[in-house]
Amino acid sequence: MKSLPYLLLLLVALFGTVGAAYHLGLRGTEANQASNPRARTPVVLELFTSEGCSSCPQADALLARLEEQQPIPGAEIIALEEHVDYWDHQGWVDPFSSEQWTLRQQGYASTFSDHGVYTPELVVNGRTGFVGSREREARRAISEAASQPQTEVLVTPAKSEKRDHAVFNVSVAKLQGAQGGDTAEVWLAVTETALHSAVTRGENAGEDLHHAAVVRWLHKVGAANSIAAPAFTGQQEAKLDAGWKRANLRAVAFVQEKRSRRILGAASARIEP
């Protein structure tokens, strides 16, 4: 029969070995976490802006900086810069403006009900809108949006037989955070970066204005099934204008409730040159 001191020594050695292994396991886990950081939650930032608006360049620059630097932990910022057309009669016609973006902003104004349309306005995940140059408010809204339930969206380029077209496969996993009685619509946008204009008239006369990801094209792909998994799968073709530089184009897919206008999930992908 072994003596008590010997058994105590054996137990100490055993627990020491287990403890060392546990410590090494923790260190291995930490290393894996460092090499594979937690996936970021996509957050869509829509900036309603105009080259005819003297207070807009600051907001344009903020949006570009936020998307480039990705400074909010846990958030993947996806920029959509939408140029409204109601400034075009003020002396300068914005070459990127469209009534489509004005109507989209008016839709948000009717939903938010606490203000009308104005520029620059930044809308975060379709949930809140405020003056687009307010960085502190933008950071707070982005962080809050990243903490909300997220619907997984995937957009991948597919082969197109036409040089001036791009084809995308879009899939939406089971809806998360959707409201009963609303319709979750699936949208696809094409954006272009590195755009700028030498403005010769209007409030920004003499300025060379640079932009973030300007929305070139936006189309509703379909509607997601609120009780299915996946909620949506489909393919969409987009015609690309000859003046757009393919190397600067991205596709952005997102799911947005029709009535509440809340964005439930999003994803983006580069368009192959």
Side-chain angles (χ1 to χ4, degrees):
M1 181 176 179
K2 292 181 171 59
S3 64
L4 184 60
Y6 179 81
L7 289 174
L8 288 175
L9 288 173
L10 183 62
L11 287 172
V12 169
L14 177 62
F15 279 106
T17 302
V18 172
Y22 178 72
H23 180 67
L24 288 173
L26 283 179
R27 292 186 64 181
T29 301
E30 291 170 356
N32 288 335
Q33 290 175 342
S35 61
N36 299 288
R38 183 176 68 85
R40 291 173 174 253
T41 299
V43 178
V44 177
L45 270 59
E46 295 180 75
L47 177 65
F48 295 96
T49 184
S50 172
E51 290 187 347
C53 160
S54 61
S55 57
C56 287
Q58 184 179 354
D60 298 346
L62 173 60
L63 180 65
R65 187 166 67 251
L66 288 172
E67 184 176 46
E68 179 182 354
Q69 297 179 358
Q70 298 290 333
I72 312 301
E76 176 197 348
I77 295 169
I78 298 176
L80 298 177
E81 188 173 298
E82 298 164 52
H83 289 233
V84 298
D85 68 348
Y86 51 81
W87 277 91
D88 287 356
H89 64 281
Q90 300 288 337
W92 174 257
V93 177
D94 188 331
F96 311 116
S97 67
S98 170
E99 183 185 19
Q100 183 179 4
W101 317 136
T102 297
L103 293 175
R104 184 167 175 81
Q105 187 186 25
Q106 289 173 348
Y108 279 125
S110 64
T111 301
F112 296 152
S113 73
D114 60 346
H115 60 257
V117 296
Y118 62 88
T119 54
E121 181 184 19
L122 187 65
V123 177
V124 179
N125 254 13
R127 297 170 185 264
T128 182
F130 48 87
V131 176
S133 55
R134 294 178 180 171
E135 183 169 358
R136 182 177 298 180
E137 191 168 356
R139 286 172 172 264
R140 182 168 60 248
I142 295 166
S143 295
E144 183 177 343
S147 69
Q148 301 297 320
Q150 176 75 14
T151 297
E152 185 179 353
V153 178
L154 184 65
V155 55
T156 54
K159 185 173 182 177
S160 174
E161 300 299 329
K162 305 174 185 176
R163 174 63 185 171
D164 61 345
H165 285 67
V167 178
F168 307 95
N169 293 318
V170 180
S171 63
V172 178
K174 185 173 179 58
L175 296 181
Q176 303 294 325
Q179 294 182 346
D182 211 335
T183 301
E185 299 179 329
V186 183
W187 292 84
L188 182 68
V190 173
T191 67
E192 184 175 4
T193 56
L195 292 171
H196 67 97
S197 293
V199 179
T200 59
R201 295 183 302 277
E203 292 188 1
N204 289 312
E207 299 292 333
D208 185 15
L209 302 182
H210 292 255
H211 303 297
V214 174
V215 180
R216 289 297 208 172
W217 180 88
L218 177 65
H219 183 77
K220 184 171 71 174
V221 180
N225 186 331
S226 61
I227 60 174
F232 177 86
T233 57
Q235 190 174 84
Q236 179 63 49
E237 184 178 66
K239 189 177 188 306
L240 307 181
D241 189 277
W244 304 349
K245 295 184 178 179
R246 290 184 69 108
N248 298 332
L249 299 181
R250 291 188 73 89
V252 177
F254 59 93
V255 184
Q256 184 170 36
E257 291 183 323
K258 183 176 181 178
R259 189 173 66 248
S260 75
R261 302 190 69 82
R262 298 182 312 143
I263 292 177
L264 305 178
S268 69
R270 288 195 176 278
I271 296 178
E272 296 299 325

